[in-house]
Amino acid sequence: MSSSTSHSLQLPQRQSLVSETIRSLRENIEAGHWHEHLPGEREMCELLQVSRRTLRGALDELQRQGMLEVQGRQRRRITNQTLIADKEPPRRVIGILTPGSFLSMPPPIAYVMDTLRTKLSAAGYEVRFHSAPGCYTSAPARGLRQFIAAHPASAWLVLSAEEAMQRWLKSQNLPCLILGSSIPGVSLPSVDADFHATCRHAGALLWRKGHRRIALVLPNSHLGGDIASEAGLREALGQMPGATLKMLHHDSTTSGVCRVIDDSLKSANPPTAYIVGRSAHILTVMMHLMRRGKRIPQDIAVLARDSDPILDATSPSVSRYTSEPKQLAARLITALRQLADHGTLSTPTVRLMPVYVAGETI
């Protein structure tokens, strides 16, 4: 089975999981995602995000219904592509577009996605996750045009959309919502943490703690939240006497993060505080600084712009900003229902203010 086929699968909802997996399998067979044979069990468990026990229960039931048959150790064969009973009436479709799989998402975002799927399905919407890395390129127009045409939806939720992607979505007037911040000059509906206010607060906080040379550590991306973070931090430090900002952009690899930290430490006036813009990189920054003989926070302060459950178990405890996933999920659900039903949003821009957690690293 090709990767393009697997990316557009309709995932099972979390109601009665075996029965919902049966429904999902039947819909995907009817839609032509699989022909003649189903994939192997391991691949199907990953695609549908269910356990092997749940999958086998659903497959056994479809076999009893005559839709599948098994001969020896061969894969299950589809016996009748059109044998679909008790078909549900059409539901409004909400597509969720991501650059990677559900399993690759950070835990807070995975929680939000699972909550969306459960709540929206219970409200009568059909939620379809699409992992489509081909839409996330520097020139995404062709890939996006083909993908959207092949997967119609009443509304779209788009994750990790950079500038080129946002400009194309805006030009097409699609009913879409960005999970993140829209870039300056592109007025797409969006829901995100208020990173401008967060970094403005972070800059003032570090200045009050005596730090004058502050670095902001970010990936080489053009995400609206990162642009807002830099703008907020510059605004804060511009009002603080003696404060300077060093931007440290990296390639998101461990070696790339360590390299920009080393380069900053070798500079004439190295930073005394680092604000790290991805929770996945905060431990890399801290451990690398310690490897270079720096004590935290006695020599260098480290502040996380984002949070992650793993940061609750660190020592020293990480000073950070955290958002409530339940609040984010609730705002997304409200916006997506309105967008799917009416095509527009009464409040197109939603910014949620994270809470500062005073740890031991500044």
Side-chain angles (χ1 to χ4, degrees):
M1 182 178 62
S2 68
S3 59
S4 61
T5 298
S6 65
H7 290 158
S8 60
L9 291 172
Q10 163 63 16
L11 300 183
Q13 312 300 317
R14 302 299 177 89
Q15 296 169 359
S16 171
L17 202 51
V18 172
S19 63
E20 285 300 310
T21 302
I22 293 171
R23 182 188 65 79
S24 179
L25 287 167
R26 290 160 69 92
E27 289 182 355
N28 286 314
I29 290 171
E30 183 188 38
H33 291 306
W34 302 302
H35 298 281
E36 296 187 5
H37 292 87
L38 294 181
E41 288 186 1
R42 179 178 298 178
E43 182 178 352
M44 293 184 69
C45 286
E46 181 177 352
L47 292 171
L48 299 176
Q49 300 166 26
V50 296
S51 68
R52 183 164 289 188
R53 179 178 179 180
T54 298
L55 176 66
R56 284 179 175 173
L59 292 173
D60 289 345
E61 177 58 29
L62 291 179
Q63 188 174 337
R64 283 192 292 271
Q65 295 175 9
M67 288 190 65
L68 302 174
E69 66 177 16
V70 181
Q71 297 176 342
R73 297 177 60 85
Q74 296 180 353
R75 293 182 299 166
R76 289 176 173 83
R77 189 173 74 85
I78 300 169
T79 57
N80 191 336
Q81 196 85 22
T82 61
L83 182 60
I84 305 295
D86 302 323
K87 189 176 178 181
E88 297 179 357
R91 296 194 290 177
R92 287 156 295 180
V93 175
I94 294 177
I96 299 180
L97 185 59
T98 75
S101 71
F102 185 94
L103 299 177
S104 68
M105 296 177 182
I109 299 302
Y111 168 86
V112 169
M113 293 299 104
D114 198 51
T115 302
L116 290 182
R117 181 170 61 180
T118 301
K119 300 292 187 182
L120 288 170
S121 176
Y125 299 85
E126 184 175 325
V127 181
R128 296 181 179 178
F129 282 89
H130 302 277
S131 173
C135 294
Y136 289 82
T137 66
S138 58
R142 181 179 178 183
L144 280 167
R145 186 178 298 108
Q146 293 175 344
F147 184 86
I148 296 296
H151 304 90
S154 305
W156 284 97
L157 176 64
V158 183
L159 282 65
S160 303
E162 296 192 8
E163 180 174 355
M165 189 177 194
Q166 289 194 25
R167 291 193 182 281
W168 186 87
L169 292 169
K170 177 64 177 178
S171 71
Q172 302 302 303
N173 293 317
L174 288 172
C176 68
L177 176 68
I178 302 297
L179 177 52
S181 298
S182 57
I183 64 167
V186 179
S187 55
L188 282 173
S190 61
V191 178
D192 201 3
D194 192 335
F195 287 123
H196 185 282
T198 296
C199 286
R200 197 175 190 283
H201 179 275
L205 174 67
L206 290 170
W207 190 87
R208 290 197 301 271
K209 295 284 187 178
H211 297 282
R212 300 295 182 266
R213 301 189 301 276
I214 298 170
L216 178 58
V217 185
L218 291 173
N220 290 317
S221 71
H222 298 282
L223 295 176
D226 293 341
I227 296 171
S229 296
E230 180 178 349
L233 187 54
R234 288 191 183 280
E235 183 177 313
L237 298 183
Q239 301 173 11
M240 307 296 170
T244 60
L245 171 63
K246 181 182 290 292
M247 295 299 302
L248 302 180
H249 290 106
H250 56 81
D251 61 7
S252 295
T253 65
T254 299
S255 60
V257 174
C258 294
R259 185 164 50 250
V260 298
I261 296 300
D262 280 339
D263 290 343
S264 70
L265 292 175
K266 295 173 184 176
S267 63
N269 295 295
T272 63
Y274 292 84
I275 301 172
V276 184
R278 294 289 189 279
S279 58
H281 301 140
I282 185 68
L283 296 182
T284 303
V285 171
M286 290 175 58
M287 295 176 72
H288 193 67
L289 287 170
M290 290 186 223
R291 176 185 288 175
R292 294 294 182 250
K294 304 299 182 182
R295 298 172 302 164
I296 300 173
Q298 293 90 339
D299 300 326
I300 291 180
V302 178
L303 178 58
R305 187 198 67 179
D306 304 331
S307 190
D308 187 277
I310 197 173
L311 299 185
D312 293 331
T314 63
S315 181
S317 60
V318 178
S319 303
R320 62 193 185 277
Y321 294 88
T322 182
S323 299
E324 177 52 59
K326 290 183 179 180
Q327 183 186 21
L328 176 58
R331 298 304 292 268
L332 286 171
I333 289 168
T334 299
L336 286 170
R337 292 187 63 174
Q338 188 177 92
L339 193 60
D341 293 345
H342 307 293
T344 58
L345 292 174
S346 57
T347 307
T349 301
V350 175
R351 294 292 177 265
L352 306 174
M353 186 62 200
V355 175
Y356 173 63
V357 178
E360 301 173 313
T361 56
I362 66 172

